[in-house]
């Protein structure tokens, strides 16, 4: 679990600060961004980089290794059943939450976090690879719904929508990284 937390702190937080600072400063110096908007643009850029590092990198690392492929080919029947139920259920719940209108779902309810209960189930029952994959699927559906203007993060202001969406994906990603590692350590 210590290595996971180091990854979150070093790769996802500190390296992205450099990227956001250079990017937003370049835009501002080039006249493409207003200096008064620097802080808001910087936060959005930085959080986008953090989310990308937290959600995409672990999926690549965990699925590209030779051990991961062997493990995936050796799932037990019960694991296949749980994958066959939990991942489609997660996708369905996420799709419902992010494809519904604000009026139907109620804009003040944190319904997006219904997906966390299923993600936690995947983390406890299956493992890190399956959990980061589930989080990546959930993030993709959330992004798609928000881009279509539906779901709990669709707002009139695109920056507000983006910030809410990025924060949600960051919570998913950290949960998907830390929880299965903690469960595995506890089992050992």
């Amino acid at each position: 679990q210590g290595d996971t937390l180091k990854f979150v702190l070093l790769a996802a937080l500190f390296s992205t600060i450099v990227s956001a600072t250079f990017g937003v400063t370049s835009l501002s110096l080039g006249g493409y961004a207003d200096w008064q908007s620097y802080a808001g643009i910087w936060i959005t850029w930085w959080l986008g980089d953090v989310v990308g590092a937290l959600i995409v990198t672990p999926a690549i690392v965990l699925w590209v290794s030779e051990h991961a492929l062997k493990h995936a080919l050796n799932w037990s029947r019960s694991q296949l059943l749980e994958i066959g139920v939990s991942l489609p259920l997660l996708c369905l719940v996420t799709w419902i939450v992010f494809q519904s209108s604000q009026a139907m779902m109620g804009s003040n309810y944190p319904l997006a976090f219904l997906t966390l209960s299923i993600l936690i189930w995947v983390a406890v029952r299956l493992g890190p690879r399956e959990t980061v994959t589930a989080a990546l699927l959930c993030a993709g559906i959330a992004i798609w719904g928000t881009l279509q203007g539906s779901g709990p993060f669709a707002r009139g202001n695109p920056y507000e929508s983006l910030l809410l969406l990025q924060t949600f994906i960051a919570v998913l990603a950290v949960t998907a990284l830390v929880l299965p590692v903690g469960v595995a350590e506890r089992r050992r």
Side-chain angles (χ1 to χ4, degrees):
Q1 196 166 6
D3 288 340
T4 303
L5 293 175
K6 285 178 194 171
F7 168 75
V8 169
L9 290 174
L10 294 175
L13 297 179
F14 294 124
S15 67
T16 56
I17 288 172
V18 174
S19 171
T21 302
F22 278 116
V24 178
T25 302
S26 298
L27 288 176
S28 297
L29 289 173
Y32 298 104
D34 189 2
W35 284 102
Q36 285 81 6
S37 303
Y38 187 93
I41 296 170
W42 188 91
I43 295 241
T44 304
W45 188 309
W46 173 74
L47 192 52
D49 286 351
V50 167
V51 166
L54 288 176
I55 202 86
V56 175
T57 305
I60 292 170
V61 169
L62 288 171
W63 280 106
V64 171
S65 73
E66 184 179 324
H67 173 72
L69 296 175
K70 286 180 183 176
H71 172 75
L73 296 175
N74 291 322
W75 281 321
S76 68
R77 283 183 177 226
S78 65
Q79 286 174 313
L80 285 172
L81 179 63
E82 286 195 69
I83 290 168
V85 171
S86 59
L87 290 182
L89 180 62
L90 176 69
C91 290
L92 177 65
V93 168
T94 306
W95 183 260
I96 290 169
V97 169
F98 283 94
Q99 290 301 316
S100 59
S101 68
Q102 291 282 356
M104 183 180 132
M105 299 301 279
S107 60
N108 294 325
Y109 302 129
L111 295 176
F113 292 96
L114 285 173
T115 57
L116 272 178
S117 60
I118 303 167
L119 189 68
I120 290 168
W121 173 278
V122 171
V124 169
R125 298 291 302 159
L126 295 171
R129 281 176 216 84
E130 296 80 9
T131 308
V132 297
T133 303
L136 191 58
L137 289 169
C138 185
I141 295 168
I143 291 167
W144 176 257
T146 304
L147 285 173
Q148 299 302 312
S150 63
F153 303 138
R155 301 286 197 269
N157 180 342
Y159 296 111
E160 184 180 355
S161 294
L162 181 60
L163 190 61
L164 290 168
L165 180 63
Q166 290 173 329
T167 303
F168 170 72
I169 294 172
V171 169
L172 284 179
V174 170
T175 301
L177 288 171
V178 174
L179 188 58
V181 172
V183 169
E185 284 183 8
R186 180 88 173 170
R187 286 183 181 148
R188 274 185 253 144

